[in-house]
Amino acid sequence: MNFIKQMGTASGLTIAALLMLASACGLNSAGNTSRVFDGGTRPGQYKGFDSVQEQLRQRLFIESFQDRFLLQLVIEDPLGSLRPLMGLFIGDSGGNRFVNGEANPMNVLLWSATLERLAALLSQNCDPETPDENSYYPGTLLYDNLRENIRANLASVCERSATSEHLSDLWISLIGFQADREALTAYVELLETTQQQENISSHDLVKGALFSILMHPEMLLKR
Amino acid sequence: MNQIAKVFIALSLLFSVTHQSPPALADGSEGTETADWDRAWWIEKTARTLSADTLFLSPGEVQALLQQSDTEIVSQLMQRPAFADGLAEFFLYFLGFKGGGSKRYENATSHPLSIGSAVAVYEGQDFFDVLLASTSPRYVLPLESAPESGESHLQIITAYQEQIEAWRNIIEVRGEDGEIEHFEKQAFCDDYFLDFEKEDSKSLNLFVNVLGFGKSRVWLERLHSHSHNDIVVGCMFNWDPTGEKTHAALLQLQSLIEHFASVYLQFLPSDYELQSVLDFRTIPNPMPSNQNLDSSRLPYEYWVKLQNSSTNRQRRRAAHFFRTYLCDDLTPIELPDTDHGIGDVHASQPECQSCHYKLDPMAGMFWNLGIAGIQYGTPSQSDDPNYVFDDGVVLSGQQWSEYLAPWKREDGTWKTGLVRSLSDESLNNYGNGFEDLLNIIQEAPEFRSCIVRRMATFYLGKDQTFDGGWLRELENDFEELPNSGLAFRSILKKLVTSHLAKARDPNPELCYDTPSLPGEIDASVPCRVRFLLEENCQTCHNKNTARGGLDVTSWVEAEGGQTFRYIKNGEQVSAPDSRHAISERLTTTDSTLRMPPGFMPDTDRSQLLNWLHSPSTPK
């Protein structure tokens, strides 16, 4: 239940997440979002827990057993009670179906808090010698398992020396070419400026740099 | 609000304003960079599309592919094992089952036709035979996660392999007559109680979780094949290995051991990790003597969707086949009471006949498939089989003859099959039995159309409008290429390199790709309208059937302008009258007259009506 408690601190970020999701609707052509299609699916619905987990595993990490259950470990959900709330294929007597694919206040909150937590864990890579002992997924493990290019680019952000190439590589490594190019430009410019501000810690800088990518609609939502 | 939230919100807001020039993707001019970005976007999207969202290319891989042509890129992506996963997902979708997420492999093993077809297409082999098969090998999959006991997969598999080898030494059977040459009672009974009994849950878990068998199926097999009681009694008391009952039990046991061996000994002991459905292994029939447990038959999970009650008399199965393999959704016109059997007034009424004239003859193709698809008798041998429906009702004797009667002509021959027209027998394909049905479907043009249409919706978007002429043009590959697997791959290449596939935010109501030769009504009727007519009207109102005299696939000159072919009393109805008649059927609140019979979104209905009444519509 630590996870639920921590969600209280994420209220500001939740507003931002809602803003991002609202902008996701704008990505689709007019008329799309008001239509319901076969099976109740709708453009812009969540990709779902498994899909995002697999996407992050492939983008962020080298293959290891823990990586397969990345998000499950991050949200501390060993019983799997939270996953169905975040968009999941489930199978029971009612057959196999995708549940909670539409954005609602609960799954928006859960995604926001989960990815904020992942971003916070990854920010520990700024000082890998002091892992979070209380986490199922300590920072050292993240550091060891991170792909080489992610590790190098994160290090440059930690050191406030990230060039536009570093930031661009970080973005493309995580989200590929699916987002609009203008979004990458804005991201790079903002991070370049922000890393000059000394009142923002390295941890917060990395966390923000990653969280803003992780919460991008292209990461979470189906086209 | 903490610092990071401020950064994030600022970032969100910044995304909504005008942006400056983006950073370089590769060396070159600005124009080239933009083109490269769009192409990189398409490459990534195509990789995910082909793999059902399991293949994420690294930036380096995308850069490398940028230098190649579209078809080369797709060809390379089709060599990746993840492409086979995407194919398995497509065939699950085609067969009417849902995959996706962590359920993908589990569902695929329950519906082995999907894996078999995926592998065939991946290898460029014919897949029609696999997809339309009455039997299928059963596929097994390795562990996906470590067992809770902490043992590695390898440890478990290795332990079972060793145990199987030990069991093989306990019992030896010689010759085809099954003479037991060697049997170590003490060793066997110790093992049986120690390993089979005490580790039963572990063994069961392995079957269910590792091999993907349904639990009920596992128990059924185990109980049958062990001859459990006989073995327990034999081990506890004075067991005569030469006794008939004991002999049969031992033969069953020996068969089971060989079955286990056929499964476990397939697993390679090192570096075995599931990459895609290509890694699945097949297992042979564990109990060839027991027809009900024959693993080569379609699995129980397949027939769960095709339950046949004593009242629907195979119609549900026929409707499933129409819908699944021919894309023909036989939604009946809404009637106050549709629960009548064959021969009753319901099936003979004109509005009911719009569905039953083709539903009932196809239903007859399943006549001897009873509960869970179990076969009763053969097409040539249809006497008194004690037939059991899925609702438990049993037919025999006179009742059985009465059950068969509606599917037979007066001379005793069968009138079952794929009926397209009541007036032109040459358009119909008749046959008898499930095998015949599968062969008929395999040759049916509707089947090829259905595959292409499902491919388009699966790979390009369920909500998208497609030009029917373009899709029909794609179907030609099934005729022009050496086998159906190669045709599938060729069609898929065309789909993922189409204008639609390259459009970033396609409007679902527009057609992005058109045929090289326009069709009969293409110039006069907008693509969206043609699409809605194809989706909702064309099944009944086509050149062959033209229910009520209306054929929405033909565009003719009539009094007052051009319109669809609409023959009433032997004459073409005038353009204004035909439009009025169609409008009336689209808007009436009388459920027996309202068209289309199935569900149609109000927005689609409005679009049709708007076009019918639009001043720009040809008059």
Side-chain angles (χ1 to χ4, degrees), chain A residues 12-13 16-17 19-20 27-29 32 35 37 43 47 50-51 55 58-59 63 65 68-69 89-91 96-97 168 171-173 175-187 189-190 194 199-200 204 207-208 211-212 215-216 223, chain B residues 1-5 7-15 19-25 30 33-34 37 40-41 44-45 48 53-57 59 62 98-103 107 144-146 273 462-463 504-509 528 604:
Chain A
L13 296 170
L19 284 172
M20 293 296 276
L27 284 173
N28 291 294
S29 55
N32 265 9
R35 295 183 46 155
F37 301 99
K47 290 176 183 172
D50 288 332
S51 180
Q55 180 177 302
Q58 292 201 29
R59 300 277 197 199
E63 178 90 18
F65 170 69
R68 291 184 182 184
F69 306 100
F89 272 98
I90 59 168
N96 296 315
R97 60 197 190 282
S168 182
W171 172 281
I172 291 174
S173 296
I175 209 163
F177 300 91
Q178 295 305 297
D180 291 335
R181 200 172 180 206
E182 289 74 14
L184 166 59
T185 308
Y187 173 82
E189 287 176 357
L190 183 65
T194 310
N199 60 335
I200 297 178
D204 278 351
K207 187 177 159 190
F211 186 48
S212 51
M215 281 301 284
H216 193 284
R223 269 276 182 185
Chain B
M1 193 181 296
N2 62 26
Q3 290 283 3
I4 196 64
V7 170
F8 186 71
I9 289 179
L11 201 57
S12 311
L13 295 173
L14 194 58
F15 284 166
H19 309 297
Q20 296 171 19
S21 60
L25 169 66
E30 181 64 27
E33 288 165 16
T34 305
W37 184 276
W41 167 83
E44 258 189 359
K45 179 193 162 192
R48 286 164 55 179
D53 267 342
T54 59
L55 177 60
F56 295 88
L57 298 176
V62 175
K98 281 187 179 171
S102 59
K103 297 281 177 195
N107 291 343
E144 283 192 330
S145 58
E273 190 170 352
K462 288 187 179 68
D463 53 322
R504 267 194 105 101
D505 284 307
N507 183 334
E509 297 185 353
R528 176 66 183 170
D604 292 352

Side-chain angles (χ1 to χ4, degrees), chain B residues 201-220:
Chain B
S201 61
K202 179 178 165 186
S203 166
L204 178 66
N205 183 51
L206 203 67
F207 259 101
V208 173
N209 296 327
V210 182
L211 306 175
F213 292 148
K215 207 172 213 170
S216 57
R217 179 81 182 228
V218 174
W219 277 115
L220 201 60

Side-chain angles (χ1 to χ4, degrees), chain B residues 5-114:
Chain B
K6 288 177 188 169
V7 170
F8 186 71
I9 289 179
L11 201 57
S12 311
L13 295 173
L14 194 58
F15 284 166
S16 63
V17 300
T18 308
H19 309 297
Q20 296 171 19
S21 60
L25 169 66
D27 292 338
S29 67
E30 181 64 27
T32 307
E33 288 165 16
T34 305
D36 279 355
W37 184 276
D38 286 341
R39 205 161 143 70
W41 167 83
W42 171 77
I43 291 171
E44 258 189 359
K45 179 193 162 192
T46 305
R48 286 164 55 179
T49 300
L50 292 175
S51 65
D53 267 342
T54 59
L55 177 60
F56 295 88
L57 298 176
S58 70
E61 288 173 306
V62 175
Q63 291 278 7
L65 289 171
L66 276 174
Q67 314 307 320
Q68 301 181 33
S69 71
D70 288 359
T71 49
E72 282 171 346
I73 291 168
V74 179
S75 294
Q76 287 204 19
L77 293 174
M78 283 181 167
Q79 289 172 17
R80 307 284 282 257
F83 172 52
D85 277 358
L87 290 169
E89 192 83 354
F90 167 76
F91 285 111
L92 274 178
Y93 164 74
F94 182 83
L95 291 167
F97 304 107
K98 281 187 179 171
S102 59
K103 297 281 177 195
R104 176 179 293 113
Y105 294 130
E106 188 183 316
N107 291 343
T109 49
S110 298
H111 306 290
L113 298 179
S114 64

Side-chain angles (χ1 to χ4, degrees), chain B residues 435-500:
Chain B
E435 293 286 345
D436 274 2
L437 173 61
L438 297 172
N439 289 331
I440 288 171
I441 289 176
Q442 192 172 146
E443 297 301 321
E446 296 95 327
F447 171 57
R448 288 158 172 73
S449 302
C450 189
I451 288 180
V452 173
R453 195 194 295 187
R454 290 270 162 73
M455 286 173 75
T457 53
F458 181 81
Y459 287 106
L460 296 180
K462 288 187 179 68
D463 53 322
Q464 187 63 43
T465 300
F466 297 102
D467 187 306
W470 180 57
L471 296 183
R472 279 188 288 280
E473 209 165 76
L474 296 178
E475 289 169 30
N476 293 338
D477 282 353
F478 281 120
E479 306 304 324
E480 291 166 5
L481 290 169
N483 68 52
S484 59
L486 291 173
F488 188 105
R489 294 169 69 98
S490 170
I491 294 166
L492 186 50
K493 269 185 193 172
K494 290 172 186 169
L495 288 175
V496 297
T497 55
S498 63
H499 294 114
L500 172 61

Side-chain angles (χ1 to χ4, degrees), chain B residues 292-578:
Chain B
N292 291 352
L293 294 173
D294 185 346
S295 71
S296 66
R297 288 174 62 252
L298 294 178
Y300 174 72
E301 287 84 350
Y302 182 87
W303 294 100
V304 164
K305 255 207 153 170
L306 300 176
Q307 289 187 12
N308 171 43
S309 76
S310 54
T311 52
N312 73 42
R313 309 251 173 152
Q314 308 285 8
R315 292 194 189 100
R316 184 171 171 178
R317 287 174 175 168
H320 174 85
F321 267 64
F322 266 115
R323 191 167 49 246
T324 303
Y325 294 94
L326 305 175
C327 290
D328 187 350
D329 195 352
L330 293 160
T331 311
I333 295 173
E334 192 181 336
L335 290 171
D337 177 12
T338 57
D339 192 22
H340 295 294
I342 213 162
D344 204 308
V345 63
H346 159 65
S348 59
Q349 284 177 348
E351 57 268 36
C352 313
Q353 267 297 311
S354 66
C355 170
H356 281 278
Y357 84 93
K358 49 185 176 183
L359 183 61
D360 292 347
M362 188 178 284
M365 301 293 268
F366 298 88
W367 67 268
N368 62 337
L369 296 179
I371 181 170
I374 290 172
Q375 191 168 320
Y376 291 88
T378 61
S380 59
Q381 194 180 22
S382 55
D383 49 349
D384 205 4
N386 275 330
Y387 179 95
V388 184
F389 288 96
D390 281 291
D391 57 5
V393 173
V394 181
L395 290 186
S396 61
Q398 180 64 22
Q399 287 178 314
W400 174 248
S401 302
E402 287 172 3
Y403 164 73
L404 298 179
W407 292 315
K408 289 186 172 180
R409 299 186 183 92
E410 286 181 0
D411 62 2
T413 57
W414 296 83
K415 56 179 181 181
T416 52
L418 175 55
V419 171
R420 298 182 178 88
S421 170
L422 289 174
S423 54
D424 186 353
E425 287 280 312
S426 68
L427 295 172
N428 304 334
N429 297 107
Y430 293 103
N432 178 19
F434 191 45
E435 293 286 345
D436 274 2
L437 173 61
L438 297 172
N439 289 331
I440 288 171
I441 289 176
Q442 192 172 146
E443 297 301 321
E446 296 95 327
F447 171 57
R448 288 158 172 73
S449 302
C450 189
I451 288 180
V452 173
R453 195 194 295 187
R454 290 270 162 73
M455 286 173 75
T457 53
F458 181 81
Y459 287 106
L460 296 180
K462 288 187 179 68
D463 53 322
Q464 187 63 43
T465 300
F466 297 102
D467 187 306
W470 180 57
L471 296 183
R472 279 188 288 280
E473 209 165 76
L474 296 178
E475 289 169 30
N476 293 338
D477 282 353
F478 281 120
E479 306 304 324
E480 291 166 5
L481 290 169
N483 68 52
S484 59
L486 291 173
F488 188 105
R489 294 169 69 98
S490 170
I491 294 166
L492 186 50
K493 269 185 193 172
K494 290 172 186 169
L495 288 175
V496 297
T497 55
S498 63
H499 294 114
L500 172 61
K502 291 182 176 178
R504 267 194 105 101
D505 284 307
N507 183 334
E509 297 185 353
L510 294 181
C511 293
Y512 286 78
D513 297 272
T514 51
S516 52
L517 293 173
E520 188 182 343
I521 64 172
D522 287 8
S524 309
V525 183
C527 186
R528 176 66 183 170
V529 172
R530 277 185 280 122
F531 176 77
L532 291 176
L533 292 172
E534 285 182 18
E535 290 287 296
N536 298 285
C537 317
Q538 200 168 299
T539 308
C540 298
H541 301 289
N542 56 50
K543 284 187 173 66
N544 290 333
T545 50
R547 302 288 302 173
L550 177 64
D551 168 18
V552 296
T553 65
S554 301
W555 190 247
V556 297
E557 199 69 51
E559 185 188 338
Q562 290 180 312
T563 187
F564 300 112
R565 186 184 300 282
Y566 185 16
I567 308 295
K568 216 169 181 182
N569 301 324
E571 289 184 6
Q572 169 67 39
V573 177
S574 71
D577 286 351
S578 69

